[in-house]
Amino acid sequence: MLVAQQKRKENIVEYLLYMWQVEDLIRAGRFDLELLVGQYDQPEEVKKQIRQWYVELIEMMYNEGVMESGHIQLNQNIISSLTDYHIRLLKEPGETVYKALYYKTLPFIVQLRSKSGGVKVPELETCFIALYGYLLLRFQKKEIRSETIEAVKQINTFLSYLAEKYKDDTE
């Protein structure tokens, strides 16, 4: 919870990736609060806050039917908000750097979307899926092809710039 609050303030992209990881940790822990909260070496008052945060996330996951896969509406709303912001930036005449980064990233997005098996996913969500998938491969110590690394670097550069613009615009 404390990490999530900090990430949300500092970098919306890192926050969303962190929240996806938390959703997966909750699933991996079979929704066991003791297992989830027990890992924190914090004062009891902080642990209570962390416990409540997990309780709320678990309730959302149950209520929204994403116990096995998918993302809670809270996280989907962030992607929607970032997508709206992305479209707005693309329409801004002065956003030449953003547009250049986007168009440099676009071939990777198109390539990733073509591998999705026909599932329609918004462009930014495709970027997040790519970064999260890359992180999972690294955690699993799996071999990662050079083409994937190149794509992830470009996507990361693009999303980092988007996060920076978003932070500046929402402060």
Side-chain angles (χ1 to χ4, degrees), residues 12 81-82 85 162-171:
I12 196 71
S81 177
L82 285 173
Y85 186 68
L162 175 63
E164 188 178 305
K165 298 287 292 179
Y166 186 82
K167 179 182 178 191
D168 290 346
D169 211 32
T170 56
E171 285 186 333

Side-chain angles (χ1 to χ4, degrees), residues 78-88 122-125:
I78 290 170
I79 289 180
S80 293
S81 177
L82 285 173
T83 297
D84 291 345
Y85 186 68
H86 160 72
I87 291 167
R88 195 172 93 211
E123 289 179 346
L124 287 185
E125 189 169 351

Side-chain angles (χ1 to χ4, degrees), residues 32-42 44 47-48 50-51 54:
D32 182 342
L33 274 173
E34 299 313 313
L35 181 64
L36 294 165
V37 178
Q39 67 179 322
Y40 293 94
D41 183 24
Q42 296 288 331
E44 199 53 43
K47 273 191 162 185
K48 283 181 185 178
I50 293 170
R51 172 183 280 280
Y54 275 113

Side-chain angles (χ1 to χ4, degrees), residues 4 6 22 44 55 82 84 91 107 112 153-154:
Q6 188 71 22
V22 168
E44 199 53 43
V55 165
L82 285 173
D84 291 345
K91 291 179 181 177
L112 289 165
K153 282 182 182 178
Q154 181 57 44

Side-chain angles (χ1 to χ4, degrees), residues 19-36:
M19 290 302 294
W20 282 12
Q21 182 182 19
V22 168
E23 288 171 333
D24 281 346
L25 285 172
I26 290 170
R27 290 180 188 113
R30 294 187 172 91
F31 299 84
D32 182 342
L33 274 173
E34 299 313 313
L35 181 64
L36 294 165

Side-chain angles (χ1 to χ4, degrees), residues 25-124:
L25 285 172
I26 290 170
R27 290 180 188 113
R30 294 187 172 91
F31 299 84
D32 182 342
L33 274 173
E34 299 313 313
L35 181 64
L36 294 165
V37 178
Q39 67 179 322
Y40 293 94
D41 183 24
Q42 296 288 331
E44 199 53 43
E45 187 57 38
V46 174
K47 273 191 162 185
K48 283 181 185 178
Q49 292 174 358
I50 293 170
R51 172 183 280 280
Q52 184 58 37
W53 183 67
Y54 275 113
V55 165
E56 290 169 7
L57 287 175
I58 289 169
E59 284 177 2
M60 283 185 241
M61 290 175 77
Y62 275 118
N63 292 337
E64 297 172 22
V66 294
M67 291 90 61
E68 294 181 28
S69 64
H71 304 291
I72 58 175
Q73 190 63 49
L74 181 73
N75 293 337
Q76 291 175 349
N77 290 347
I78 290 170
I79 289 180
S80 293
S81 177
L82 285 173
T83 297
D84 291 345
Y85 186 68
H86 160 72
I87 291 167
R88 195 172 93 211
L89 289 174
L90 289 177
K91 291 179 181 177
E92 288 288 324
E95 288 296 339
T96 55
V97 173
Y98 184 79
K99 289 175 188 176
L101 283 171
Y102 168 68
Y103 288 116
K104 190 172 181 182
T105 308
L106 189 57
F108 298 111
I109 296 170
V110 170
Q111 184 180 24
L112 289 165
R113 290 174 93 183
S114 72
K115 295 178 180 180
S116 71
V119 177
K120 295 279 185 190
V121 177
E123 289 179 346
L124 287 185

